[in-house]
Amino acid sequence: MKKRLAAAFLVVLLVTCTLNLTPSTAETAKTFEKVDFISGVVTANRLNLRNGPSMDSEVIAVFNKNKWLNVLAQIGDWYAVFDPDTGKVGCVYKAYLAKPDAVKQSSPSVKTPATTPKPTPAPSAPAPSTPAPTTTAPGTADLSANEKLLIDLINQERAKANLAPLQVDSELMKVARIKCKDMADNNYFSHYSPTYGSPFDMMRQFGITFKSAAENIAGNSTVQGAVSAWMKSEGHRQNIMNSSYTHTGVGIVESKKYGYLFVQMFIRK
């Protein structure tokens, strides 16, 4: 119970410290209200992220339609959200952010699986350009050389901060591989899949249970280049170095545009 209260306090503290709650704003949105979902999808063509729950608040980012965001709380007619791509926290107008399920039902351009989709065999990953280091992560017996290398490099970064290595979850591996292939087959590069929705939705569709979750994606010519790019990006680095995540799954698929597409999913069981 103490851990739950601490976690809830941390979320409220994070939002309170990040957002610009002026006296006039506080009168409009008096309390942070709990929401019953953890991700939302932008339904407007362009949606402003503001540093407070008011039209008078400064615009700190602009999101395009179908962008997915982590929803932290409701503040009156606004949602406090976190953008995992940039690490920014702010407020968006509630009317233009919807639950992924609602978007899929109302939009004919989005494919909704009629039943829980069955994982397809993962595409064979190319051989790495350099020899893979000795595998340190548990459960890597069925991984390709590139998948092992990716996980090893990630765990090496975690080890520098004295963090426990991520364990490979075989079911999450299937989901990450399918997401990566979905991006290649449908020619998109986004956390939000037109086939499966947000990473959270996709994990649930494949029966993955988790207390918290995240996803990193990259397009790069090498495994080392993808990891290096993630470590230089604040939001992606935070996912990699998050001590609460315990398990991971990765997918790697060839791409004419990038060389390779990479997906890494993180969960806390």
Side-chain angles (χ1 to χ4, degrees):
M1 177 63 72
K2 291 183 179 179
K3 291 184 178 178
R4 293 179 181 174
L5 290 175
F9 175 76
L10 180 61
V11 170
V12 173
L13 181 63
L14 171 65
V15 177
T16 304
C17 292
T18 305
L19 303 182
N20 179 25
L21 296 179
T22 61
S24 60
T25 301
E27 291 175 2
T28 303
K30 296 180 180 179
T31 60
F32 290 87
E33 301 174 37
K34 184 178 179 181
V35 292
D36 61 355
F37 59 104
I38 59 176
S39 63
V41 180
V42 175
T43 58
N45 290 330
R46 292 175 67 83
L47 178 62
N48 292 330
L49 177 70
R50 298 180 182 272
N51 69 350
S54 167
M55 288 297 183
D56 296 327
S57 299
E58 178 186 356
V59 176
I60 57 177
V62 179
F63 301 129
N64 293 325
K65 189 173 184 178
N66 289 333
K67 165 74 175 177
W68 72 272
L69 301 165
N70 292 0
V71 181
L72 304 176
Q74 180 178 325
I75 314 173
D77 293 331
W78 298 77
Y79 284 132
V81 299
F82 169 74
D83 178 14
D85 289 335
T86 62
K88 291 183 177 180
V89 175
C91 289
V92 296
Y93 195 60
K94 180 181 175 182
Y96 303 117
L97 193 72
K99 295 181 182 181
D101 289 343
V103 175
K104 287 184 286 186
Q105 290 171 1
S106 63
S107 174
S109 62
V110 177
K111 301 176 183 177
T112 305
T115 59
T116 301
K118 296 180 180 180
T120 57
S124 57
S129 55
T130 57
T134 302
T135 300
T136 57
T140 57
D142 297 328
L143 305 188
S144 70
N146 260 2
E147 290 170 342
K148 289 180 181 179
L149 176 58
L150 178 59
I151 294 170
D152 280 341
L153 292 177
I154 293 296
N155 279 333
Q156 286 174 22
E157 295 294 341
R158 288 173 64 89
K160 294 176 184 178
N162 296 319
L163 298 178
L166 294 169
Q167 298 183 48
V168 176
D169 184 283
S170 59
E171 294 304 311
L172 195 59
M173 281 294 305
K174 295 176 184 177
V175 180
R177 286 165 171 166
I178 293 171
K179 170 61 182 291
C180 202
K181 187 175 185 299
D182 184 55
M183 286 201 300
D185 291 346
N186 292 295
N187 193 32
Y188 72 94
F189 184 79
S190 172
H191 290 292
Y192 188 87
S193 163
T195 309
Y196 302 105
S198 77
F200 306 127
D201 300 317
M202 187 174 183
M203 291 178 197
R204 292 192 184 101
Q205 288 173 33
F206 283 85
I208 304 295
T209 57
F210 55 87
K211 295 179 180 177
S212 59
E215 177 187 75
N216 283 353
I217 60 176
N220 207 287
S221 58
T222 65
V223 176
Q224 295 91 335
V227 174
S228 177
W230 282 340
M231 292 302 293
K232 293 176 182 177
S233 167
E234 182 180 355
H236 296 91
R237 178 185 174 87
Q238 286 177 354
N239 288 338
I240 292 171
M241 306 303 287
N242 191 325
S243 61
S244 69
Y245 294 134
T246 57
H247 292 75
T248 190
V250 301
I252 304 174
V253 174
E254 290 188 51
S255 166
K256 293 181 179 179
K257 182 176 181 179
Y258 300 103
Y260 305 112
L261 286 168
F262 301 86
V263 169
Q264 180 167 23
M265 293 180 169
F266 307 83
I267 60 171
R268 175 190 174 196
K269 290 193 173 183

